[in-house]
Amino acid sequence: MDIKASWIEKGYVDEPIPPGIDLKSEIRRIAREKNAIILAHYYQEGVLQDIADFVGDSLALAQKAASTDADIIVMCGVHFMGETNKILCPEKKVLIPDLNATCSLAESCPADDFAAFVKAHPDHKVISYVNTTAATKAYTDVVVTSTNAKEIVESFPKEQPLIFGPDRNLGAYINSITGRNMLLWDGACHVHERFSVEKLIELKRLHPQAKILAHPECQAPIIKLADVVGSTSALLKYAVSSEHDTFLVVTESGILHEMQRQAPDRTFIPVPPDDSTCGCNECNFMRLITLSKVYNTLLHEWPAVEVDPELCAKAIRPIERMLDISRKLGL
Ligand code: 13P
């Protein structure tokens, strides 16, 4: 295939979409023809969740990638998710519609700096959030997601010193609910860090019956106000199965699409960031993925996620450990 200089420069295929085509049905047709599976995180735009074969949180997406028999995986999400898929399925082609879709958490933990931190604490076991690069995962004993972090931390003996990286908010939250004193890397998610306590309190005043649902990547003052703290899938489950009908949602607003789809009669109110008047909090990296980029990616099978095989061999161990523990715990 001829990889054009303009694609490489932009990090995605910039071919114009033929006029008059129905993008959604064309994407589904090409995916069928190529035996490709389209995976999407809950933080993707609704239209992408609708065309995906599977929508899930970080853990479910990794589990799905590990078990698929498709030849091609198209990851509608951010780069570390594509990398995790490639590490789990090195023989498959893993495509990500825009290489610029990075993750502020993964960026906040450069592998060399993390390696030095780990080396400085040789008696510690190392737990890394899945939102890390493959290079950082290579210095990790076990990977976690927000769905299984508590259980995986608790699977270590109480006296075992632990490092937790890179999310200081998730790490502090897990410390608070497990009574551990993990050493925390000083990273954070730029979306979850920007929620406004003042705006949350104001929304709660306007909707006193509403339950507050918060992701554990939020800062402690938000977590303190929350009725439920959990991963996107945990918040979704609570929102559609509890007896309540109004919710203030303190995570990336893409999740509202699935909440509203599963519970159309309930009211979901996105909590805004402190620096915006738009009313919801979107991850600019997640939102780089668009329907036309998915179409072009599938058609041209580019950009593909590549991970050096030596690095793959190191990074797969902590990911498989996570999947094993999760399987045993029924997560
Ligand atoms: P979960 O998918 O585990 O809810 O975490 C959200 C996230 O950080 C995605 O980058």
Side-chain angles (χ1 to χ4, degrees), residues 75-119:
M75 185 65 238
C76 297
V78 288
H79 193 266
F80 78 82
M81 296 178 175
E83 234 182 24
T84 304
N85 295 345
K86 184 67 184 176
I87 294 164
L88 286 164
C89 314
E91 76 294 349
K92 293 190 195 301
K93 190 172 265 188
V94 177
L95 304 172
I96 182 139
D98 189 333
L99 286 173
N100 302 296
T102 181
C103 166
S104 56
L105 260 171
E107 299 289 316
S108 73
C109 192
D112 289 349
D113 297 346
F114 193 63
F117 184 62
V118 168
K119 202 169 166 204

Side-chain angles (χ1 to χ4, degrees), residues 41 43 57-58 80-81 129 131 145-146 215 217 231-232 286:
H41 190 271
Y43 293 164
D57 69 358
S58 305
F80 78 82
M81 296 178 175
Y129 199 27
N131 301 39
T145 73
S146 55
H215 197 280
E217 289 175 25
S231 64
T232 45
M286 285 277 181

Side-chain angles (χ1 to χ4, degrees), residues 39 95 209:
L39 306 181
L95 304 172
Q209 304 306 325

Side-chain angles (χ1 to χ4, degrees), residues 81-195:
M81 296 178 175
E83 234 182 24
T84 304
N85 295 345
K86 184 67 184 176
I87 294 164
L88 286 164
C89 314
E91 76 294 349
K92 293 190 195 301
K93 190 172 265 188
V94 177
L95 304 172
I96 182 139
D98 189 333
L99 286 173
N100 302 296
T102 181
C103 166
S104 56
L105 260 171
E107 299 289 316
S108 73
C109 192
D112 289 349
D113 297 346
F114 193 63
F117 184 62
V118 168
K119 202 169 166 204
H121 302 91
D123 55 334
H124 286 59
K125 293 285 184 197
V126 182
I127 300 179
S128 286
Y129 199 27
V130 70
N131 301 39
T132 42
T133 62
T136 297
K137 287 184 176 81
Y139 296 104
T140 296
D141 291 302
V142 58
V143 166
V144 298
T145 73
S146 55
T147 290
N148 56 26
K150 174 178 180 285
E151 288 79 3
I152 290 183
V153 166
E154 284 178 332
S155 73
F156 286 91
K158 266 205 152 51
E159 58 283 3
Q160 171 63 56
L162 298 170
I163 284 174
F164 187 95
D167 190 338
R168 60 171 177 259
N169 295 320
L170 176 63
Y173 172 68
I174 299 294
N175 272 345
S176 76
I177 59 172
T178 60
R180 304 281 171 130
N181 186 24
M182 297 186 293
L183 206 48
L184 307 181
W185 182 263
D186 192 17
C189 162
H190 74 305
V191 175
H192 289 91
E193 282 251 303
R194 41 171 217 250
F195 282 110

